[in-house]
Amino acid sequence: ADLTVRGALDRVLRLLSVGSKRFLTTKVDRSVTGLIARQQCCGPLQLPLSDVAVFCQSHFATTGCATAIGEQPVKGLVNPAAMGRLTVGEACTNLVWAAITDLADVKCSGNWMWASKLEGEGAAMYDCCEAMGQAMLELGVAVDGGKDSLSMAAKVGDELVKAPGTLVVSVYAACPDVSLTVTPDLKHPGASTLLFVDLSAGHSRLGGSALAQTFKQVGDDCPDCDTSLLARGFRATQRLLRERVLLAGHDRSDGGLAATLLEMCFAGDCGADIRLPAGVDPVGFLFNEALGWVLEVDEAVCEPLLRACQDHRIPAAVIGTTHAERVVRFLQGDDLLLERSTLALREDWEATSLALSKLCYNVKFVEQVRLPAGIERRSTRRGERWRRRPGG
């Protein structure tokens, strides 16, 4: 009851599933062949935040293929069937940022990791599989491959350790024009509006969320997926991509809406004023992980776009505005829920990745983190902090 937005963010941004994945992306070459149109990193600071991967068919054309991944293993501890639907839904909300031929042309691979021989686990896997198949039928997505690992349990001494049942759905589809792909980094700070497309039907279920996990809890009520609403939202967003109306976009997933909005600010190296609807619980609204996404659009097209969403029965609303100042504010009515620099929040978001990198590489080189122009690192009693250089 006493949990604040800042207190929740302090925990969630450091969780491995939410925080920066720099410790992974810096290990590999991300552009082999020269045909990669969209790799993991994006924005002026090259942060690893891309939702979708896109590659070209040849060096002489803009046609190609887009692929994305969905996974929600913690939700399966609450409701395996909902986890199956959410996994398919998350794969689609990641794929939506590349202009594909049609949702009905999407194919996927399903990878299962489950301790299915243990009591109750086989039934849970069956429920998940049945729900996944039904969701795909309703969306028009087809499975054309996959694999399984069904012995995800081991004895350690007298203790039986098992992995949570996990389904990973990898979707892919033809991409007629790779140049239409949209990334999460905010493009026009100070002249753009943020729209929130909520596919949760107004629910704020925290079961299986990153926030619950930071308190060593799972919960008993997790989000679910409305496939008809997802399909309408997907096709409407695809039309906006082709009309080149969208400046940036990012899906709501691990960490909830708060993480989505902050990651867009991190990637764009700017700030935003976020206004929550009156009457909602701030923590539940910002940290539930139901399907949805945030769009950045120019102020001039905001009203026509909202009317178009209303005509197509897609729940969209203005959630905030951007600005060049590196400060993020969360407000609800006259109440200021949070005001903090983007840089400090990004430091929290990078903290776990930095700690993992120090275990793998030479610490001297790990600490040479690329900083924005006008920023320097200084040492304090509480550790290293970043501040603006005088005149920077």
Side-chain angles (χ1 to χ4, degrees):
D2 297 329
L3 184 63
T4 63
V5 171
R6 174 156 186 171
L9 279 176
D10 286 343
R11 290 170 171 264
V12 168
L13 291 179
R14 288 179 168 84
L15 194 66
L16 186 60
S17 60
V18 178
S20 171
K21 307 303 185 293
R22 187 190 298 275
F23 72 99
L24 290 174
T25 57
T26 52
K27 290 183 178 182
V28 296
D29 187 332
R30 301 186 298 273
S31 56
V32 178
T33 72
L35 294 172
I36 308 303
R38 171 46 45 206
Q39 47 112 327
Q40 295 100 317
C41 296
C42 62
L45 303 182
Q46 284 295 284
L47 299 186
L49 282 169
S50 293
D51 294 306
V52 61
V54 184
F55 58 90
C56 296
Q57 285 181 311
S58 80
H59 296 92
F60 310 104
T62 57
T63 58
C65 182
T67 180
I69 289 177
E71 49 79 41
Q72 290 289 336
V74 182
K75 311 294 189 299
L77 299 175
V78 182
N79 186 334
M83 186 266 270
R85 289 185 287 267
L86 282 170
T87 299
V88 176
E90 186 191 19
C92 292
T93 60
N94 281 323
L95 186 68
V96 73
W97 310 114
I100 64 170
T101 50
D102 187 69
L103 184 59
D105 296 330
V106 174
K107 303 294 183 289
C108 75
S109 168
N111 295 338
W112 300 86
M113 287 149 281
W114 219 291
S116 61
K117 298 174 185 177
L118 299 184
E119 184 178 356
E121 293 294 340
M125 183 178 174
Y126 178 87
D127 291 343
C128 179
C129 184
E130 188 175 46
M132 179 199 75
Q134 185 59 40
M136 288 182 174
L137 283 172
E138 293 168 1
L139 290 169
V141 175
V143 178
D144 61 7
K147 70 176 187 65
D148 59 71
S149 301
L150 302 182
S151 300
M152 300 296 290
K155 269 208 163 186
V156 181
D158 295 329
E159 184 180 7
L160 179 67
V161 179
K162 67 177 180 179
T166 302
L167 165 66
V168 178
V169 171
S170 306
V171 292
Y172 30 87
C175 191
D177 188 350
V178 298
S179 70
L180 295 175
T181 305
V182 164
T183 53
D185 51 298
L186 297 176
K187 309 292 192 309
H188 290 181
S192 61
T193 301
L194 299 175
L195 303 182
F196 174 42
V197 178
D198 184 9
L199 304 180
S200 72
H203 296 292
S204 296
R205 301 164 178 158
L206 289 170
S209 66
L211 180 61
Q213 190 177 344
T214 63
F215 285 96
K216 299 182 179 180
Q217 297 180 18
V218 176
D220 54 11
D221 192 14
C222 73
D224 211 324
C225 174
D226 182 337
T227 52
S228 62
L229 181 55
L230 173 60
R232 291 200 305 273
F234 189 99
R235 291 193 167 95
T237 303
Q238 288 281 295
R239 284 195 296 272
L240 297 176
L241 282 179
R242 290 184 172 83
E243 294 168 5
R244 298 185 185 272
V245 173
L246 304 183
L247 301 174
H250 199 22
D251 74 310
R252 175 170 66 174
S253 182
D254 295 332
L257 182 60
T260 301
L261 293 162
L262 290 179
E263 286 174 351
M264 295 178 79
C265 292
F266 297 161
D269 194 25
C270 60
D273 288 345
I274 310 302
R275 295 194 172 275
L276 278 61
V280 301
D281 168 39
V283 173
F285 182 78
L286 289 172
F287 294 95
N288 82 82
E289 297 175 4
L291 299 179
W293 50 74
V294 175
L295 310 172
E296 182 196 13
V297 299
D298 277 328
E299 294 174 352
V301 302
C302 182
E303 288 302 323
L305 199 154
L306 285 173
R307 286 196 295 271
C309 287
Q310 187 175 9
D311 291 343
H312 290 87
R313 295 180 295 121
I314 299 166
V318 174
I319 193 69
T321 54
T322 64
H323 50 74
E325 183 186 9
R326 292 191 184 101
V327 174
V328 177
R329 302 180 187 89
F330 286 92
L331 306 105
Q332 187 175 35
D334 296 328
D335 296 331
L336 179 63
L337 304 176
L338 177 78
E339 182 175 15
R340 204 169 175 212
S341 78
T342 308
L343 200 59
L345 289 164
R346 195 172 82 232
E347 186 176 326
D348 292 345
W349 180 75
E350 292 271 16
T352 302
S353 174
L354 188 64
L356 287 168
S357 295
K358 287 181 178 180
L359 297 174
C360 301
Y361 312 118
N362 188 315
V363 174
K364 179 177 70 174
F365 298 114
V366 172
E367 290 177 343
Q368 294 176 2
V369 179
R370 179 183 175 187
L371 302 179
I375 300 296
E376 66 181 2
R377 186 187 286 110
R378 64 186 178 91
S379 296
T380 68
R381 290 182 179 179
R382 296 186 179 181
E384 290 185 334
R385 291 292 183 268
W386 292 340
R387 68 180 177 88
R388 186 172 300 280
R389 293 193 192 102

